[in-house]
């Protein structure tokens, strides 16, 4: 809060007159908006994430916990992961008065005319803003320059990786000179970065397939064998919340492979295990 308020002051932002555009519901993007927005301020939000914020009830978390347990996340660690989950600790309150945006909606501010582009993947309701005249793209966590956005599956019915890859294609042809992301540095080479991100996920899909080549496993076992760029020497040392993000990322890749017909699943005991065509034969 202190850093944000002093940064806004440095930019000459008067919070008494400020509206807010939130790219997605994650706590590190939306968590402080309920504290910063004065009465009457507009808070722009993608419609699908607005639904999630409204439904962030105890039942929502129970559903997430049940699915994680079913996919092999150990119970005790799961409790710790949920307890320290930023979405649970820092999400904005659910009574926010949101101006809901849909694909193609326009926001006009001074000399700028922004168009809203829905980019589901990183979250189901992630949105970006594009200023075609000035060739500026405000992209939240859709495209980041030296880290990759977390693509995570939390509920059975989703296929976030498929959506994410489609959303990368959707913005590939935009004429962009300046990209303003939600983390790390601003950048200009949007097309090149999109190609790298797509390649990254192809490599990850191959990695998951090759791990499954050893035999059927649950998502937690698969996540523990994937390579993670994180400052801990082994999987066991990851903090529980980081394990949960990694596990969700593994599940996103498994679900993608499953819908492509490359991976199958079956119930074994209480849980769900995945297999490749080869290992099942
Ligand atoms: Zn995010």
């Amino acid at each position: 809060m202190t850093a944000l308020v002093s940064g806004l002051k440095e930019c000459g932002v008067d919070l008494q007159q400020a509206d807010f555009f939130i790219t997605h519901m994650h706590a590190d993007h939306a968590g402080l908006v309920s504290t910063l927005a004065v009465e009457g301020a507009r808070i722009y939000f993608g419609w699908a994430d607005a639904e999630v914020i409204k439904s962030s009830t105890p039942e929502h978390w129970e559903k997430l916990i049940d699915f994680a347990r079913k996919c092999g996340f150990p119970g005790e660690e799961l409790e710790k992961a949920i307890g320290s989950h930023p979405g649970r600790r820092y999400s904005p309150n659910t009574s926010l008065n949101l101006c809901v945006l849909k694909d193609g909606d326009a926001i006009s501010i001074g000399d700028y005319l922004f168009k809203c582009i829905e980019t589901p993947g990183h979250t189901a309701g992630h949105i970006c803003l594009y200023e075609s005249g000035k060739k500026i793209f405000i992209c939240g966590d859709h495209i980041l320059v030296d880290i990759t956005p977390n693509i995570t599956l939390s509920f059975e019915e989703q296929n976030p990786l498929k959506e994410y890859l489609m959303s990368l294609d959707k913005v590939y042809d935009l004429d962009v000179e300046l990209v303003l992301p939600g983390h790390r540095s601003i950048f200009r080479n949007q097309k090149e970065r999109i190609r790298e991100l797509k390649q990254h996920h192809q490599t990850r899909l191959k990695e998951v397939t090759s791990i499954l080549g050893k035999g059927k496993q649950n998502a937690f076992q698969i996540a523990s064998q994937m390579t993670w760029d994180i400052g801990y020497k082994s999987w066991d040392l990851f903090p529980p919340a980081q394990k949960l993000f990694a596990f969700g990322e593994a599940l996103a890749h498994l679900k993608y492979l499953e819908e492509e017909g490359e991976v199958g699943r079956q119930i074994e005991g209480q849980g769900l295990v995945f297999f490749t065509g080869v290992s099942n034969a």
Side-chain angles (χ1 to χ4, degrees):
M1 180 72 176
T2 312
L4 187 56
V5 168
S6 85
L8 289 169
K9 200 171 166 196
E10 212 176 298
C11 297
V13 173
D14 176 4
L15 281 170
Q16 296 303 312
Q17 298 182 47
D19 291 333
F20 296 81
F21 171 81
I22 310 288
T23 54
H24 63 296
M25 40 86 55
H26 282 159
D28 56 330
H29 296 255
L32 289 174
V33 72
S34 38
T35 318
L36 289 171
V38 299
E39 217 183 308
R42 286 201 179 97
I43 304 170
Y44 294 104
F45 224 91
W47 69 272
D49 272 10
E51 292 298 309
V52 177
I53 289 276
K54 276 189 244 155
S55 66
S56 185
T57 55
E59 296 79 55
H60 168 93
W61 287 96
E62 278 309 314
K63 192 178 160 200
L64 185 147
I65 290 165
D66 282 350
F67 183 59
R69 201 175 283 138
K70 187 175 157 196
C71 294
F73 207 98
E76 200 180 303
E77 273 195 288
L78 187 55
E79 240 167 70
K80 285 187 199 150
I82 298 292
S84 60
H85 197 293
R88 201 152 179 187
R89 294 173 67 190
Y90 304 117
S91 278
N93 65 49
T94 51
S95 61
L96 287 178
N97 193 12
L98 302 175
C99 294
V100 171
L101 290 178
K102 289 208 159 90
D103 205 46
D105 285 350
I107 301 176
S108 168
I109 304 271
D111 292 341
Y112 294 80
L113 181 63
F114 290 104
K115 194 176 90 173
C116 169
I117 303 180
E118 289 176 357
T119 48
H122 178 64
T123 65
H126 192 289
I127 50 175
C128 300
L129 284 183
Y130 177 53
E131 220 294 349
S132 60
K134 296 185 170 54
K135 301 182 182 178
I136 295 171
F137 189 45
I138 298 173
C139 70
D141 285 358
H142 186 41
I143 308 170
L144 300 172
V145 77
D146 56 356
I147 51 173
T148 60
N150 179 228
I151 306 301
T152 191
L153 185 140
S154 311
F155 301 106
E156 191 102 42
E157 58 276 11
Q158 304 168 320
N159 187 350
L161 181 56
K162 185 175 179 188
E163 293 209 312
Y164 181 64
L165 295 173
M166 282 163 60
S167 294
L168 287 178
D169 286 340
K170 184 176 180 183
V171 301
Y172 186 80
D173 285 330
L174 294 179
D175 188 5
V176 171
E177 277 178 7
L178 183 64
V179 188
L180 304 174
H183 298 275
R184 309 282 179 120
S185 330
I186 60 173
F187 58 99
R188 295 175 186 280
N189 51 343
Q190 134 134 333
K191 285 190 180 16
E192 186 189 337
R193 187 57 186 149
I194 289 175
R195 289 196 297 270
E196 285 172 1
L197 287 167
K198 288 178 72 172
Q199 183 53 51
H200 165 80
H201 287 292
Q202 290 308 319
T203 308
R204 289 303 240 175
L205 289 166
K206 280 197 192 119
E207 186 180 27
V208 168
T209 309
S210 122
I211 291 168
L212 273 180
K214 298 176 197 164
K216 55 188 175 188
Q217 296 163 67
N218 67 36
F220 189 80
Q221 292 169 314
I222 294 161
S224 74
Q225 296 165 73
M226 291 170 72
T227 43
W228 300 105
D229 187 6
I230 188 171
Y232 299 93
K233 285 206 175 92
S234 75
W235 172 258
D236 292 337
L237 299 173
F238 283 26
Q242 293 297 331
K243 278 188 187 168
L244 188 62
F245 298 148
F247 168 80
E249 184 114 9
L251 270 170
H253 287 78
L254 285 162
K255 180 63 173 277
Y256 182 91
L257 289 165
E258 195 182 1
E259 288 205 358
E260 295 295 300
E262 315 233 342
V263 158
R265 65 160 79 184
Q266 66 187 65
I267 298 285
E268 209 172 69
Q270 303 276 5
L272 201 56
V273 291
F274 295 88
F275 55 85
T276 57
V278 180
S279 71
N280 192 44

